[in-house]
Amino acid sequence: MSIPLFEHYPALEKRLPWIPLGSWPTPVHQLEMLGKTINYPNIWVKRDDLTSKIYGGNKIRKLEFLLADALKKGCRWVVTYGGIGTNHGLATVIHGKTHGLRTALVLVKQPLTDHVQENLLLDCYYGAEMHYAPTMLAGFLQTAGVYLRHGRVYFIPPGGSSTTGSIGFINAAFEMKQQVDAGLLPEPEYIFCALGSKGTMAGLLAGTRLAGMKSKVIGIRVTEQWLSKPHKVARLANDTISMLHKQDSSVPLIKFSLQDINVTHDFFGGGYGRETPEGRSARSLLMDTENIRLELTYTAKTFAAMLDYINKNPGLKNAPLLYWHTYSAVDFTDILLKADQTRLPDSLQWCFKDNLIHPAWEARTTAPQPNREENSRTAS
Ligand SMILES: Cc1ncc(COP(=O)(O)O)c(C=O)c1O
């Protein structure tokens, strides 16, 4: 099986380890009902929520390169980091397991929500080795412990955002270019994506240029400023392109500078994982009009920013806009209803002092669930 990046640069196929984890290409379609509701018909969505039936979202694209690299290096364990509700961590646990890799998670504090509790229960259910790190020093010691216990361990940085991981989103841009060429969507004038650990935005930025598109990528910052600084996005895009160029000199050495990076800071809401009223109303609007589910840490803030951009820029004149949807659509209701929090390590039991899931769960089960039947079947 080939992928759009390798079709464009065949020499890379022999040099870059890659394993298929998802169903490609992910669909693209117009958000017609939303367009009618807000009187801006030319909004499109890239459905990376549907990347995989066992766990979808944006991380799968990065993991296809990262886990392949881990396997090539003969590792049986990976270690990675994130907040206690990390989607990247959960994606690594689930997809690593399907390839015989065990995952150790080093987890730091973030605001406790039902979503955080759900991800912790799922990490545990799928067999993660979980470590809570209340301080930097604790995180360092726990990581050292993982290496001492398991020997050959593959390190994945937070969010999977290394140069290797970002190649996944360079490939994603080539995939979208093929869809544009096939007439499935117009070339977007702007692409809106969440900006967390940077790999998604950096990869899309690099990939759209390499694929010859003029689309401008707008990243919506949802993490603390120090993690997602625009110059760091440019650096990651440049480093990823250089890495590809080293493997295949026909990859042009495009360079991005600070002026090329469009980041919106206004929807952060004062904290990673902190819910915002704009995010909540964007989430309801997309569910009511298109039956597409957003979560409140990344995607709802991103969608809210795109709606705001449309409102504030009448000069857009119905130019094509693309929202890149990055949150997994897989529904884990069945597993969560039988999950047992007492199996989590003692250091994480404080996260379950109050049960946040079940009251929220009742509300959710009355809302329309995308692919609910199919997903609960595949997840169990
Ligand atoms: C649902 C979702 N969207 C977007 C992102 C941000 O992507 P990146 O970390 O590549 O910036 C994440 C990262 O964890 C995520 O979980």
Side-chain angles (χ1 to χ4, degrees):
M1 180 186 176
S2 194
I3 55 172
L5 177 68
F6 295 161
E7 283 167 31
H8 209 84
Y9 296 109
L12 289 179
E13 186 160 10
K14 291 183 205 82
R15 304 204 177 117
L16 292 177
W18 176 84
I19 47 169
L21 300 178
S23 327
W24 313 113
T26 55
V28 280
H29 61 87
Q30 197 166 0
L31 294 173
E32 286 182 25
M33 279 304 292
L34 173 80
K36 282 189 188 130
T37 310
I38 66 167
N39 199 21
Y40 194 99
N42 216 356
I43 308 178
W44 297 76
V45 62
K46 178 76 169 150
R47 298 293 302 268
D48 271 11
D49 52 328
L50 305 176
T51 47
S52 159
K53 287 188 173 168
I54 58 167
Y55 190 81
N58 60 338
K59 304 302 177 189
I60 314 313
R61 293 187 182 274
K62 303 176 184 181
L63 289 172
E64 289 193 330
F65 288 92
L66 291 163
L67 296 184
D69 197 31
L71 290 168
K72 188 172 174 219
K73 293 188 166 131
C75 300
R76 284 280 151 255
W77 277 84
V78 299
V79 63
T80 192
Y81 298 88
I84 47 181
T86 172
N87 297 321
H88 154 69
L90 180 58
T92 309
V93 172
I94 293 178
H95 285 278
K97 192 176 160 114
T98 62
H99 285 270
L101 285 164
R102 292 280 316 272
T103 300
L105 297 176
V106 178
L107 302 168
V108 301
K109 202 166 185 171
Q110 74 176 80
L112 202 52
T113 62
D114 56 335
H115 180 69
V116 168
Q117 288 190 338
E118 285 168 21
N119 278 9
L120 285 169
L121 289 172
L122 293 169
D123 290 334
C124 181
Y125 178 88
Y126 284 102
E129 185 181 283
M130 300 164 77
H131 304 278
Y132 179 54
T135 60
M136 288 270 279
L137 179 65
F140 176 76
L141 292 174
Q142 275 146 2
T143 309
V146 171
Y147 278 87
L148 286 174
R149 271 193 307 282
H150 304 305
R152 224 181 220 179
V153 176
Y154 187 81
F155 173 78
I156 300 184
S161 289
S162 58
T163 50
T164 302
S166 304
I167 300 171
F169 268 90
I170 294 191
N171 179 55
F174 277 93
E175 178 183 302
M176 179 182 68
K177 174 73 163 74
Q178 289 185 344
Q179 293 174 315
V180 169
D181 291 345
L184 298 174
L185 81 160
E187 180 170 320
E189 182 130 339
Y190 292 98
I191 299 171
F192 293 83
C193 68
L195 170 59
S197 62
K198 307 174 290 292
T200 303
M201 182 177 183
L204 284 178
L205 203 64
T208 46
R209 283 311 156 276
L210 288 172
M213 283 185 278
K214 294 200 178 67
S215 312
K216 293 175 213 57
V217 181
I218 303 190
I220 316 307
R221 180 171 67 83
V222 298
T223 47
E224 306 298 333
Q225 178 103 24
W226 63 267
L227 187 67
S228 324
K229 286 211 161 120
H231 75 270
K232 293 187 177 175
V233 178
R235 196 192 306 149
L236 182 56
N238 293 340
D239 290 350
T240 309
I241 290 180
S242 309
M243 187 232 210
L244 292 181
H245 177 80
K246 273 192 205 128
Q247 305 296 331
D248 177 355
S249 58
S250 72
V251 177
L253 263 181
I254 299 170
K255 287 263 176 253
F256 294 94
S257 58
L258 201 53
Q259 297 88 273
D260 302 312
I261 312 298
N262 277 302
V263 174
T264 298
H265 300 274
D266 302 343
F267 288 78
F268 176 51
Y272 171 73
R274 208 178 276 172
E275 304 179 0
T276 60
E278 298 84 7
R280 282 194 168 280
S281 73
R283 180 169 75 161
S284 306
L285 180 63
L286 192 64
M287 177 53 85
D288 294 347
T289 51
E290 303 284 345
N291 197 22
I292 295 176
R293 189 158 58 109
L294 302 173
E295 49 61 68
L296 293 165
T297 300
Y298 296 91
T299 49
K301 289 180 180 178
T302 303
F303 207 79
M306 183 178 73
L307 296 174
D308 182 67
Y309 196 85
I310 294 170
N311 271 336
K312 292 198 174 135
N313 291 283
L316 276 173
K317 297 206 175 84
N318 204 29
L321 308 180
L322 179 74
Y323 163 65
W324 203 293
H325 191 20
T326 47
Y327 177 53
S328 172
V330 172
D331 178 43
F332 288 103
T333 310
D334 292 353
I335 290 178
L336 287 167
L337 287 176
K338 60 183 186 217
D340 176 7
Q341 70 262 29
T342 61
R343 291 184 49 220
L344 268 88
D346 288 349
S347 58
L348 285 161
Q349 288 300 330
W350 63 271
C351 299
F352 289 88
K353 265 200 354 227
D354 297 315
N355 178 8
L356 304 174
I357 296 183
H358 292 115
W361 206 252
E362 272 152 33
R364 266 200 204 181
T365 47
T366 57
Q369 292 288 315
N371 299 336
R372 194 182 154 165
E373 240 183 72
E374 184 183 353
N375 289 332
S376 40
R377 221 183 314 122
T378 49
S380 50

